[in-house]
Amino acid sequence: MRMIGRVRSWLAVLAIAVAAAACSDSNEPGDTTLTIQNDSGVDIAIVNFSNCDDPEWGEDRLDDDEFIEAGEDRTFDIEDGCWDIRVIFVGGAAQTDLGNEIAEGEDFTWVVD
């Protein structure tokens, strides 16, 4: 009986160790970031970013009532990879930054001026 109890305890410890190792190898949210720094003098109303291979911009990454005001910045958690980034200013003008290779764990900043 004691042997079965020890084996069960050992298996439980092994399962926890395997789960912990699997988690430590993954890219945790927050490891890689993209910061949009608005030095343009005009508020940013929309932020889009998508994988470089994606022909679509996708959704606005700002909340419905959110802006990146002139002189302010906003940080987003992203996955590592190649990213195309676009901002649309209040008034409709747009600016893009294409082909940004962002490494795992990097804090990438795009200064919009």
Side-chain angles (χ1 to χ4, degrees), residues 6-23:
R6 286 182 184 168
V7 169
R8 284 183 181 161
S9 295
W10 184 83
L11 288 174
V13 169
L14 180 61
I16 291 169
V18 168
C23 288

Side-chain angles (χ1 to χ4, degrees), residues 7-92:
V7 169
R8 284 183 181 161
S9 295
W10 184 83
L11 288 174
V13 169
L14 180 61
I16 291 169
V18 168
C23 288
S24 67
D25 289 340
S26 66
N27 186 13
E28 295 292 324
D31 284 353
T32 306
T33 60
L34 163 64
T35 298
I36 307 291
Q37 182 177 326
N38 185 2
D39 287 355
S40 70
V42 180
D43 292 352
I44 295 172
I46 297 172
V47 173
N48 306 105
F49 49 90
S50 62
N51 188 281
C52 293
D53 296 329
D54 191 343
E56 302 293 324
W57 282 110
E59 64 189 60
D60 179 10
R61 305 297 180 128
L62 298 176
D63 293 333
D64 289 339
D65 59 349
E66 183 181 11
F67 295 88
I68 304 175
E69 295 179 13
E72 299 294 322
D73 59 61
R74 169 75 153 75
T75 300
F76 303 89
D77 291 331
I78 61 169
E79 295 180 14
D80 59 301
C82 184
W83 293 94
D84 292 335
I85 311 164
R86 174 178 73 172
V87 297
I88 300 176
F89 300 98
V90 170

